[in-house]
Amino acid sequence: MKNILIINAHPDKESLCTELALNYQSGAEAAGARCKLVHLTDLQFDPILRQGYRQVMPLEPDLLKMQQDLFAADHLVMVYPNWWGTYPALLKGFIDRMFLPGFAFKFKEKSVFQEKLLTDKTARLIVTMDTPAWYYSLIYKQPGHRSMKKGILEFAGIKPVKITSFSPVKSATPQQRSKWLAKVNKLGFNQN
């Protein structure tokens, strides 16, 4: 049985991202997976890494629990909106505080390469945006997708990282949204 950690990183729980996260969970549980859905907005933590890596900042209980949940997960699903070309500040703060040296990676002495500590995990990013996908790819060069996939998750050893984007949200019809929800449900059922 696969353990799946689903993180809804939209600050508003009454969002399309919440619906997508719930539909992924529904599909995955129907296929027999064990799922835990976490809404980042419900967690209590300071999103600012106050001294960088110069001084250890103690983790709040919610972040300690999230590290345990991530460590136990086989598959990570992150659902979030694309704002200003990347992801919300809430998600960035969560990553800064949780994906720390000693947990997600370890610096190697006299090397530019790191030891990846979150191997044997896969990930799916489910991203909503108002920018059309073709424009995000050709003009912006997908900065948020590249950052999450290469600069964060694969840096820590999580791979493969697959990305599903839905756009443009602002002009989507109810029928289009229903298709998106069905697609995510199917992704959950297939547990990828």
Side-chain angles (χ1 to χ4, degrees):
M1 181 182 303
K2 195 178 252 189
N3 287 320
I4 301 175
L5 176 61
I6 305 166
I7 297 175
N8 174 20
H10 199 299
D12 181 0
K13 284 171 58 174
E14 294 182 32
S15 66
L16 175 59
C17 287
T18 299
E19 292 180 63
L20 291 166
L22 289 168
N23 273 268
Y24 187 99
Q25 179 182 18
S26 175
E29 288 178 344
R34 230 182 341 234
C35 295
K36 178 169 185 175
L37 172 59
V38 176
H39 302 280
L40 285 189
T41 195
D42 290 342
L43 303 183
Q44 299 295 314
F45 69 97
D46 182 350
I48 301 170
L49 190 59
R50 302 256 171 216
Q51 287 82 34
Y53 296 143
R54 183 175 51 80
Q55 185 176 346
V56 175
M57 185 174 172
L59 293 179
E60 295 84 351
D62 283 348
L63 290 183
L64 289 170
K65 179 69 173 111
M66 286 300 298
Q67 281 189 336
Q68 292 171 356
D69 291 341
L70 179 56
F71 194 74
D74 303 304
H75 187 60
L76 172 65
V77 178
M78 299 179 96
V79 186
Y80 57 90
N82 182 304
W83 289 345
W84 294 105
T86 62
Y87 26 83
L90 177 63
L91 179 54
K92 178 66 166 81
F94 173 76
I95 291 164
D96 285 352
R97 289 294 317 284
M98 200 173 99
F99 281 68
L100 297 169
F103 173 74
F105 66 95
K106 189 186 317 182
F107 292 115
K108 290 183 178 180
E109 192 81 24
K110 298 180 184 173
S111 175
V112 296
F113 299 104
Q114 78 289 357
E115 182 179 345
K116 301 174 183 200
L117 300 179
L118 296 178
T119 56
D120 299 325
K121 297 178 190 316
T122 58
R124 163 75 58 183
L125 305 178
I126 299 171
V127 185
T128 62
M129 26 186 209
D130 285 330
T131 303
W134 68 267
Y135 194 89
Y136 186 65
S137 179
L138 289 173
I139 306 302
Y140 293 152
K141 307 292 187 212
Q142 301 181 320
H145 291 1
R146 283 194 340 256
S147 172
M148 284 297 294
K149 181 177 180 169
K150 296 286 184 191
I152 298 167
L153 299 177
E154 287 182 0
F155 183 89
I158 299 171
K159 65 187 220 181
V161 177
K162 297 179 182 176
I163 303 171
T164 302
S165 299
F166 297 109
S167 71
V169 172
K170 66 183 172 190
S171 61
T173 65
Q175 294 80 13
Q176 184 63 51
R177 286 176 179 242
S178 291
K179 286 181 184 177
W180 294 345
L181 294 172
K183 180 175 181 175
V184 166
N185 187 274
K186 188 174 180 181
L187 287 173
F189 189 83
N190 293 328
Q191 299 176 25
N192 72 23

